[in-house]
Amino acid sequence: MAELTIAASRSARAGASWKRGSTDLKEEIMATVEQQKEATPTGARLPDMTRFVDFLEAQKAATQNPKHAAMIDLLIEHSVAEVRDHDIDRTMATLVQDCVYHNYGDPEMVERQGGRVIERDVVRANYLANMANGTLEMDALEVDVEHFFINDDAIAWDGYTRFRLPGAALAEAGVPLPDGGTAEDVYVQTTRAVIVIPFRDGLMVGEDFYFDGSGTLGKAASGSD
């Protein structure tokens, strides 16, 4: 899932990666975020990747198809190795040697992801970068599934991705802070996406992302940071 992170969220905790120039960062965030409050009176809930892992565990328990259970189990291993354990070798071991990631949808977002087609060496480098800069943390990223599909060839879902963003970095980039927030607050960006994961010989072939060009940015709920 590391490839899913949009440019604005790649430095959820690491200030160094936000030093790319406030103008560029502002344009990238504003291109994918509508300045509006998430629909909860107390503010946006912070990401929790445990929810996605628990969802996958429930899907695995519910299926009576051994092949599908094995595919879901591999996706769980991929997610945990990537986001919780920061184990690059385990993460890459879930992928075929000729893995390919694809980005589709909003052209500007695709460009910021590194292009439409990303092959193994760049995939590995992106994972390492996001493991190091704080994007890949259990409380900094969440996949929120609305519809889940599986057959013998692929796993797919649609829903939302949620990212934790520091107010200081947004303010430094000149992004207007919603909800009357300040630079000391924490914000949550929510973006709609579709993800398709093809399988071959029991391993993930890659991840295909379909990006929505809009989203929401809301201040995190009080006490949630």
Side-chain angles (χ1 to χ4, degrees):
M1 257 64 66
E3 299 300 323
L4 186 62
T5 56
I6 68 170
S9 67
R10 283 178 178 159
S11 305
R13 293 182 178 175
S17 294
W18 288 91
K19 306 298 185 181
R20 297 179 302 143
S22 60
T23 301
D24 290 344
L25 181 56
K26 179 178 179 180
E27 290 176 354
E28 291 176 8
I29 295 174
M30 298 299 288
T32 58
V33 175
E34 298 169 357
Q35 301 300 312
Q36 60 185 11
K37 183 176 180 180
E38 189 168 342
T40 58
T42 57
R45 176 179 61 79
L46 283 174
D48 181 2
M49 194 63 170
T50 302
R51 290 172 177 255
F52 180 61
V53 175
D54 290 346
F55 172 84
L56 293 177
E57 291 282 8
Q59 295 296 317
K60 184 177 73 171
T63 185
Q64 298 182 3
N65 185 315
K67 182 174 183 177
H68 294 178
M71 292 166 64
I72 297 171
D73 198 49
L74 187 76
L75 179 55
I76 293 171
E77 164 64 6
H78 179 89
S79 302
V80 169
E82 169 193 350
V83 181
R84 188 190 70 190
D85 298 339
H86 298 167
D87 190 323
I88 187 61
D89 291 333
R90 282 172 49 206
T91 301
M92 298 305 295
T94 64
L95 301 167
V96 298
Q97 284 299 311
D98 57 340
C99 63
V100 179
Y101 283 49
H102 296 95
N103 298 311
Y104 303 103
D106 181 80
E108 292 184 4
M109 291 186 70
V110 168
E111 182 178 356
R112 290 192 295 271
Q113 290 300 315
R116 191 171 298 278
V117 180
I118 301 175
E119 297 183 345
R120 188 179 185 87
D121 288 347
V122 177
V123 168
R124 181 184 176 90
N126 287 349
Y127 276 129
L128 285 171
N130 287 326
M131 288 174 183
N133 69 24
T135 298
L136 294 177
E137 298 286 350
M138 295 297 282
D139 62 353
L141 167 67
E142 180 181 339
V143 178
D144 187 1
V145 179
E146 279 198 351
H147 306 99
F148 183 84
F149 311 91
I150 185 170
N151 62 20
D152 289 350
D153 300 317
I155 294 175
W157 65 85
D158 76 335
Y160 295 89
T161 56
R162 300 162 55 82
F163 304 100
R164 175 178 177 145
L165 300 174
L170 296 173
E172 182 180 348
V175 177
L177 300 178
D179 309 321
T182 69
E184 285 71 41
D185 292 317
V186 174
Y187 297 85
V188 177
Q189 178 181 310
T190 303
T191 303
R192 190 164 188 89
V194 174
I195 303 176
V196 179
I197 301 178
F199 279 73
R200 186 176 74 230
D201 299 329
L203 295 174
M204 295 167 51
V205 175
E207 299 181 29
D208 295 345
F209 301 104
Y210 297 79
F211 296 105
D212 186 2
S214 63
T216 63
L217 182 68
K219 188 169 71 173
S222 177
S224 63
D225 56 343

